[in-house]
Amino acid sequence: MSNSSSFNEFLLLAFADTRELQLLHFSLFLGIYLAALLGNGLIITAVACDQRLHTPMYFFLLNLSFLDLGSISTTVPKSMANSLWDTRAISYSGCAAQVFFSFFLFAAEFYLLTVMAYDRFVAICRPLHYGTLLGSRACVQMAAAAWGSGFLNALLHTANTFSIPLCQGNTVDQFFCEIPQILKLSCSDSYLTEAGLLLVGTFLMFGCFIFIVLSYVQIFTAVLRIPSEQGWHKAFSMCLPHLAVVSLFVSTTAFAYLKPPSLSSPALDLVVTVLYSVVPPAVNPLIYSMRNKELKETLMKLVQLALFQQQ
């Protein structure tokens, strides 16, 4: 019987055994990673450079792009490197870092999505109070609260997880280190404290989800009272991208962690994990820019400027 002090690395789940499939996995993840870097980088640059986008909605979108860049950079590069070099190993400290940063960034993102729902609610349902309730100081405080809450949660869970004795080997059944997979390696009932903390965290997340749902119930009720079709279009353009991002994030994460054991299989678990950890950071910039005229105009100007400088 071994514990966490008797080995200095973990073995991650491999996407493929043959060299051809390993290189295919590397190429696919490289494409997704570059798309995420480009899309989120463009949004960060657009919001930072265009004075018209210095509003609460775009300030929160800027924070979301930073979180997406961080979350995909925590998991994908290591998986790509392992496929390229035909290895499964990750150091003990590297695994702990993945657990900390993935939990930190995913939790902070969900808290930020809750704040963004509040922003949309005030914009649609309390427009006369928007400047008061969402001034620059209030926006900074809410964003800092989202980042800080994610950081403290991650610190607590990571410290608790890696203080648990591990007796079931060092093979992690996932392509990156995450807490549920580490707990599977624990001794007897020593994981129950962390499982309890995860349950408390789940209830907090569920409370945020209920807040988002109630916000959108009131938002759509208010939108249906708008007499003009133009007003409808503007309101939906403001809200639908955020709702799409929340739906993608919540549905994939909920299915990954709440699906019945009978549906669990290594292949399905791998696909679902890719859906909630890799796909959202890559598609979020596309979702937000598709129906946003101001953002699309700024992004087009940036692309044209880049092409002009290359000529």
Side-chain angles (χ1 to χ4, degrees), residues 1-4 7 10 165-173 181-191:
M1 298 285 270
S2 62
N3 60 30
S4 57
F7 55 82
F10 290 90
L166 305 179
C167 304
Q168 308 298 324
N170 64 338
T171 301
V172 178
D173 292 330
Q181 299 300 330
I182 301 296
L183 293 182
K184 289 181 180 180
L185 307 179
S186 64
C187 305
S188 61
D189 296 332
S190 56
Y191 68 92

Side-chain angles (χ1 to χ4, degrees), residues 164-301:
I164 296 172
L166 305 179
C167 304
Q168 308 298 324
N170 64 338
T171 301
V172 178
D173 292 330
Q174 196 50 267
F175 74 93
F176 68 95
C177 290
E178 60 177 358
I179 291 175
Q181 299 300 330
I182 301 296
L183 293 182
K184 289 181 180 180
L185 307 179
S186 64
C187 305
S188 61
D189 296 332
S190 56
Y191 68 92
L192 291 177
T193 301
E194 176 58 24
L197 288 174
L198 286 175
L199 187 62
V200 172
T202 301
F203 279 116
L204 288 174
M205 294 287 187
F206 184 71
C208 291
F209 177 69
I210 293 298
F211 178 85
I212 293 172
V213 170
L214 292 177
S215 295
Y216 272 100
V217 168
Q218 296 188 63
I219 286 170
F220 288 128
T221 301
V223 167
L224 292 175
R225 296 197 192 105
I226 298 175
S228 68
E229 186 176 334
Q230 184 178 3
W232 278 37
H233 178 75
K234 183 177 180 181
F236 281 121
S237 295
M238 292 169 64
C239 296
L240 287 181
H242 176 257
L243 190 59
V245 169
V246 170
S247 300
L248 177 64
F249 187 88
V250 171
S251 60
T252 53
T253 305
F255 185 76
Y257 290 104
L258 301 179
K259 67 181 183 298
S262 59
L263 291 179
S264 185
S265 70
L268 180 61
D269 291 348
L270 193 62
V271 170
V272 172
T273 304
V274 169
L275 286 176
Y276 85 78
S277 64
V278 177
V279 173
V283 302
N284 283 354
L286 182 63
I287 292 173
Y288 272 103
S289 60
M290 280 177 61
R291 296 181 62 89
N292 191 306
K293 184 179 178 181
E294 291 178 330
L295 189 57
K296 281 194 290 188
E297 289 176 354
T298 304
L299 291 174
M300 286 300 297
K301 288 178 182 177

Side-chain angles (χ1 to χ4, degrees), residues 45-120:
T45 306
V47 175
C49 295
D50 194 335
Q51 283 290 131
R52 295 180 306 163
L53 304 184
H54 291 182
T55 64
M57 181 176 75
Y58 293 109
F59 171 73
F60 294 132
L61 181 57
L62 176 77
N63 280 267
L64 182 66
S65 292
F66 276 119
L67 289 170
D68 281 338
L69 282 178
S71 64
I72 198 169
S73 297
T74 299
T75 57
V76 168
K78 179 58 180 175
S79 181
M80 289 166 49
N82 279 5
S83 286
L84 186 62
W85 302 116
D86 191 19
T87 181
R88 297 170 55 197
I90 183 173
S91 67
Y92 186 87
S93 58
C95 185
Q98 274 198 339
V99 167
F100 173 78
F101 283 107
S102 60
F103 197 102
F104 164 37
L105 295 163
F106 289 145
E109 180 161 339
F110 194 66
Y111 294 141
L112 184 68
L113 289 172
T114 306
V115 171
M116 293 173 77
Y118 175 70
D119 169 63
R120 298 299 84 214

